[in-house]
Amino acid sequence: MRIGEAAEAAGTTPRALRLYEARGLLPPPSRTPSGQREYGVAEVARIRVIRSLLALGLTLEDIRRRAHRLDTLVQERPSASCTGRTGGFSDVVADRLAALDAEITRLTHLRQSLAAAASGSSPAPHEDSVTTPGPQP
C-alpha cells in the first residue's frame, strides 16, 4: 500500500510516516518503479506500536533509542512490554517518568506562585530563585 493508505490504516498522516522514517523508527520502505513508498502489513503494525508508545508519553527520541525492539513489540501490547525485560523499554520509561516528575514539580511551583500573585499575597520564592546573602562589608 502507498504512504497515504498506510498512514490511514495506522491512524496517522503521511507526514508522520516520513518523520518516523527520518528519525530511524521505520526502516526505509521499498519503492515502486516510480519511486513511491510502499508499505506492508508489518510496517503498519510497527507504526501502530510507535503511535501507542507516543500516546503513553514517550518521545520520538525515547522510541528511537529502542527502535530495534519495535518489531518485537508488534507481537505484544506496548504498555505491557515496557517493563522488566532485558533490552526492553524499562530504562527509557524510568527516564521519562523522572522527567515527568520534574516537570510536575516545576509546574506545581509555578501554579502556587501564580495563585499567590492572583490573591495578592507574596508568592513564596522557588528554591532556584533563593539567594543567600554574601558577606556584609
Side-chain angles (χ1 to χ4, degrees):
M1 69 187 88
R2 302 244 167 95
I3 193 168
E5 297 164 325
E8 185 176 339
T12 191
T13 65
R15 185 175 179 184
L17 270 58
R18 288 186 205 98
L19 176 66
Y20 300 161
E21 182 184 341
R23 297 283 177 93
L25 305 179
L26 284 176
S30 60
R31 301 269 183 162
T32 66
S34 63
Q36 294 183 343
R37 291 172 171 88
E38 284 190 312
Y39 296 89
V41 174
E43 289 84 4
V44 171
R46 185 178 175 115
I47 295 162
R48 286 183 179 139
V49 167
I50 292 167
R51 305 268 306 148
S52 295
L53 293 170
L54 290 169
L56 287 172
L58 298 180
T59 65
L60 290 174
E61 178 58 23
D62 294 334
I63 298 168
R64 188 202 60 75
R65 288 172 44 199
R66 291 289 190 232
H68 65 279
R69 288 267 303 143
L70 290 174
D71 289 332
T72 303
L73 293 179
V74 167
Q75 306 301 321
E76 306 167 359
R77 280 192 0 231
S79 60
S81 304
C82 290
T83 59
R85 297 194 195 126
T86 304
F89 277 75
S90 59
D91 58 333
V92 174
V93 170
D95 291 347
R96 180 59 39 213
L97 287 171
L100 287 171
D101 289 342
E103 184 66 4
I104 289 168
T105 299
R106 185 188 72 78
L107 290 171
T108 299
H109 288 299
L110 181 62
R111 186 194 184 291
Q112 290 168 345
S113 295
L114 182 60
S119 70
S121 63
S122 173
H126 186 278
E127 291 177 27
D128 295 339
S129 63
V130 175
T131 57
T132 55
Q136 299 296 323

